[in-house]
Amino acid sequence: MAKNILIVDDAAFMRMMIKDILTKNGYNVAGEAENGAKALEKYNELKPDLVLMDITMPEVDGIQALKNIKAADPSAQVIMCSAMGQQAMVIEAIQSGAKDFIVKPFQADRVLEAVKKVVG
């Protein structure tokens, strides 16, 4: 059965790029959110197998959204996405329970490698 994935990024074109990579490789994009507040809402509504989440977003950033999702569901599987040069945030994300991180700009094979490692 296809794994359901929630994509969280404030940039619509980034969500579209990730969605394209995932759907072409047999994954189902269950939903999308444009900020961390919406991410928690969508997570609770959809209960996806995996969340791919940007770190830098308006309202609620990815780190706080990760903490909120993990508080609601300790078994949540989350992969963070970040631009180069955000090492401190990446470390905080991993310490907060993220399973992996992907650096922007994305390479399709790196996205797929991270997803496969976490949800198969």
Side-chain angles (χ1 to χ4, degrees), residues 9-62:
D9 198 307
D10 55 324
F13 77 95
M14 288 310 256
R15 294 195 309 268
M16 195 173 70
M17 273 177 52
I18 298 169
K19 184 176 186 174
D20 191 49
I21 292 167
L22 295 172
T23 53
K24 281 182 178 164
N25 287 277
Y27 293 97
N28 178 47
V29 174
E32 297 179 29
E34 65 277 3
N35 63 51
K38 291 265 193 299
L40 182 59
E41 270 175 41
K42 287 279 189 184
Y43 185 86
N44 289 329
E45 175 192 328
L46 302 168
K47 298 287 188 235
D49 299 301
L50 176 67
V51 181
L52 283 176
M53 183 149 38
D54 186 23
I55 289 180
T56 310
M57 294 182 290
E59 289 183 52
V60 177
D61 71 16

